[in-house]
């Protein structure tokens, strides 16, 4: 139970940071930001991710978000004409209060991810998170080979956008190193 509540606290802090930075903060944003958090700072969360239709996806995270909405930790805020945003619910302070030292220790890293992904829309998050997936699972590939691999996974995204995604994912990985102490 403690692990589950700690995951909820991390998700809550991530949602809070995404919203503070002006992110749309729909489920896709949370999924991709959590994937970056897991890959760049694996000691914080260990959600299992798989490569799915729109990039890395965690069914367990999706289930946790649903439970957190049901329990009032998170809430859905309708935002016409787009899909819903996810914001903090009335129970968010309660869940964060259970792990103040842990969240304080991880806040800079979570904020770093939220800052890097804040202005990305879902069309940008998909190739960016998939680029990170390719980089992390196939580090031996050259830049061109990574882009070609991405092209096979995301044929609907242009070569230039895929190249931008790989370069940006590598830059974010490099920038994350100064936070991993």
């Amino acid at each position: 139970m403690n692990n589950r509540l700690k995951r909820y606290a991390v998700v809550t802090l991530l949602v809070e940071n995404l919203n503070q930075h002006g992110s749309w903060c729909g489920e896709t944003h949370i999924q991709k930001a959590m994937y970056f958090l897991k890959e760049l700072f694996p000691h914080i969360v260990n959600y299992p991710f798989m490569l799915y239709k729109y990039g890395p996806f965690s069914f367990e995270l999706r289930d946790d978000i649903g439970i957190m909405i049901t329990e009032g930790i998170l809430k859905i805020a309708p935002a016409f004409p787009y899909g819903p945003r996810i914001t903090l619910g009335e129970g968010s302070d309660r869940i964060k209060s259970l792990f103040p030292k842990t969240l304080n220790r991880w806040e800079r890293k979570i904020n770093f991810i939220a800052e890097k992904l804040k202005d990305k829309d879902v069309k940008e998050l998909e190739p960016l998170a998939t680029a990170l997936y390719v980089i992390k699972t196939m580090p031996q590939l050259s830049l061109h080979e990574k882009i070609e691999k991405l092209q096979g996974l995301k044929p609907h995204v242009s070569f230039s956008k895929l190249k931008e995604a790989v370069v940006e994912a590598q830059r974010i990985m490099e920038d994350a190193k100064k936070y991993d102490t």
Side-chain angles (χ1 to χ4, degrees), residues 44-181:
I44 295 177
V45 290
N46 195 25
Y47 280 108
F49 280 84
M50 63 180 288
L51 196 55
Y52 205 56
K53 186 174 182 179
Y54 298 108
F57 184 85
S58 172
F59 287 94
E60 190 174 316
L61 174 57
R62 181 196 60 190
D63 292 346
D64 279 358
I65 291 169
I67 291 167
M68 293 171 72
I69 290 168
T70 301
E71 292 182 1
I73 299 165
L74 300 176
K75 67 180 181 179
I76 296 176
F80 182 80
Y82 306 107
R85 297 176 78 149
I86 297 176
T87 61
L88 299 182
E90 292 179 15
S92 62
D93 287 337
R94 178 179 43 86
I95 199 77
K96 289 190 315 181
S97 72
L98 298 174
F99 303 98
K101 291 178 185 174
T102 300
L103 293 180
N104 187 49
R105 190 171 66 243
W106 295 339
E107 186 166 18
R108 286 183 63 238
K109 296 171 183 179
I110 292 170
N111 187 56
F112 166 78
I113 298 298
E115 173 69 29
K116 291 295 182 182
L117 303 181
K118 67 181 179 187
D119 57 354
K120 305 286 183 216
D121 64 25
V122 293
K123 288 183 179 179
E124 295 169 300
L125 288 169
E126 177 186 352
L128 183 61
T130 308
L132 181 63
Y133 174 86
V134 169
I135 292 166
K136 294 295 275 186
T137 59
M138 298 168 236
Q140 74 283 3
L141 298 181
S142 69
L143 174 62
H144 189 76
E145 290 169 327
K146 288 172 185 165
I147 299 166
E148 285 180 340
K149 181 65 175 173
L150 265 176
Q151 219 168 16
L153 296 170
K154 302 291 169 192
H156 59 284
V157 180
S158 72
F159 185 87
S160 63
K161 292 290 183 193
L162 294 173
K163 181 178 180 182
E164 288 173 21
V166 171
V167 170
E168 185 171 4
Q170 289 175 323
R171 188 176 337 110
I172 292 171
M173 286 176 60
E174 192 59 36
D175 291 349
K177 289 179 182 176
K178 64 184 165 193
Y179 290 90
D180 207 18
T181 56

Side-chain angles (χ1 to χ4, degrees), residues 1-7 98-99:
M1 177 149 144
N2 200 20
N3 265 349
R4 179 177 57 89
L5 294 177
K6 192 178 283 188
R7 284 193 328 258
L98 298 174
F99 303 98

